[in-house]
C-alpha cells in the first residue's frame, strides 16, 4: 500500500499509532484501530457549503510491533471469513541467538511476547485457549438449537387458529402470540426470555 511519507516518517507514525492503540485498549478495553474502505460525503442541507464524510466500511486491524525488525521477519495472514476469520502472525529469525520482544494488539486483548531463536529447537505454532470463550460459544450454540426446536410435533397446519389478542403491560417476557389447534393452546414467548425467572414453561397447555 503506497504512502506519501518516507520510510522514517512512516516508521515514526506507525510507532505513534501502536502506542495510541495500546493506551486506548488499556484504558477502555476496546480496539480503536480500523482500516477504512471508502468514504461517503454528505451535507446536512443541499445549500450548505460544509460537507461531512462517513466511512463506508470499517475493518478491525490487528497491530503487531517487534523490537528488532531488522533480524526478525514479522508478518501476518488470515484464514476463514466472517465470525470464523482468524489472524495468524508469522515470525521468523534470520539466525540463532537472537532476542526481541513482540506486542500483538487485537480488539480484545494485548499479548506481550519475548522471543529467542535457538539452533536446537523450533516452535511451529503458539496459540491460546480461553475457557470462558468456549463456554460462551457453547451457550450460544445451545440457545440457537433450542430456538430452532419445534414447540410441538404432529400439528395439522390447517387446524391452527391464531385469533388471539395479547393485552396488558409490556414486560421483557411479554408473549409474542398465542394459537391453538383445537386440542392445545400454545403461547410463544420471545427467545431472550430468562426461564429461571419466568416460572414454569407455559408454551402449551
Amino acid at each position: 500500500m503506497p504512502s506519501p511519507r518516507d520510510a522514517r516518517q512512516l516508521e515514526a507514525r506507525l510507532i505513534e499509532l501502536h502506542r495510541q492503540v495500546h493506551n486506548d485498549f488499556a484504558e477502555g478495553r476496546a480496539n480503536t484501530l480500523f482500516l477504512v474502505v471508502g468514504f461517503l460525503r454528505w451535507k446536512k442541507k443541499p445549500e450548505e457549503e460544509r460537507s461531512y464524510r462517513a466511512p463506508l466500511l470499517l475493518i478491525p486491524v490487528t497491530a503487531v510491533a517487534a523490537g528488532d525488525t531488522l533480524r526478525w521477519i514479522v508478518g501476518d495472514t488470515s484464514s476463514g471469513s466472517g465470525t470464523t476469520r482468524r489472524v495468524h502472525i508469522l515470525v521468523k529469525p534470520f539466525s540463532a541467538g537472537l532476542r526481541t520482544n513482540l506486542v500483538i494488539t487485537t480488539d480484545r486483548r494485548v499479548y506481550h511476547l519475548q522471543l529467542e531463536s535457538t539452533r536446537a529447537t523450533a516452535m511451529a505454532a503458539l496459540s491460546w485457549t480461553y475457557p470462558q470463550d468456549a463456554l460462551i460459544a457453547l451457550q450460544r450454540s445451545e440457545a440457537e438449537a433450542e430456538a430452532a426446536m419445534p414447540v410441538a410435533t404432529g400439528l395439522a397446519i390447517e387446524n391452527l387458529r391464531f385469533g388471539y389478542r395479547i393485552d396488558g403491560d409490556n414486560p421483557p417476557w411479554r408473549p409474542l402470540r398465542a394459537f391453538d389447534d383445537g386440542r392445545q393452546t400454545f403461547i410463544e414467548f420471545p427467545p431472550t426470555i430468562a426461564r429461571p425467572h419466568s416460572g414454569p414453561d407455559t408454551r402449551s397447555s
Side-chain angles (χ1 to χ4, degrees), residues 78-95:
S78 63
S79 62
S81 61
T83 57
T84 62
R85 181 176 181 270
R86 296 292 181 269
V87 176
H88 307 274
I89 307 300
L90 309 177
V91 181
K92 181 179 180 180
F94 276 95
S95 63

Side-chain angles (χ1 to χ4, degrees), residues 55-89:
L56 294 176
L57 179 63
L58 292 176
I59 303 176
V61 175
T62 300
V64 180
D68 184 356
T69 57
L70 295 178
R71 297 182 297 175
W72 293 76
I73 300 176
V74 180
D76 65 270
T77 185
S78 63
S79 62
S81 61
T83 57
T84 62
R85 181 176 181 270
R86 296 292 181 269
V87 176
H88 307 274
I89 307 300

Side-chain angles (χ1 to χ4, degrees), residues 70-203:
L70 295 178
R71 297 182 297 175
W72 293 76
I73 300 176
V74 180
D76 65 270
T77 185
S78 63
S79 62
S81 61
T83 57
T84 62
R85 181 176 181 270
R86 296 292 181 269
V87 176
H88 307 274
I89 307 300
L90 309 177
V91 181
K92 181 179 180 180
F94 276 95
S95 63
L98 302 179
R99 292 185 179 183
T100 190
N101 65 309
L102 183 69
V103 179
I104 304 173
T105 304
T106 71
D107 60 346
R108 300 185 64 182
R109 299 177 177 89
V110 178
Y111 302 88
H112 297 263
L113 306 178
Q114 189 68 32
L115 307 179
E116 180 177 355
S117 63
T118 63
R119 295 184 181 276
T121 60
M123 183 173 295
L126 176 65
S127 62
W128 291 266
T129 301
Y130 300 95
Q132 63 271 27
D133 291 353
L135 178 59
I136 293 174
L138 178 61
Q139 292 173 341
R140 184 183 298 113
S141 176
E142 291 179 347
E144 293 175 352
E146 183 177 355
M149 292 177 59
V151 296
T153 58
L155 297 179
I157 298 180
E158 62 273 11
N159 294 333
L160 298 181
R161 298 179 295 185
F162 295 89
Y164 291 85
R165 185 180 66 185
I166 300 174
D167 297 323
D169 297 332
N170 189 28
W173 46 267
R174 178 185 173 93
L176 300 176
R177 63 178 175 175
F179 60 94
D180 72 82
D181 65 345
R183 298 183 303 108
Q184 302 177 90
T185 301
F186 299 87
I187 302 176
E188 181 181 356
F189 288 95
T192 55
I193 186 172
R195 289 200 171 185
H197 304 286
S198 62
D201 186 356
T202 57
R203 289 184 296 174

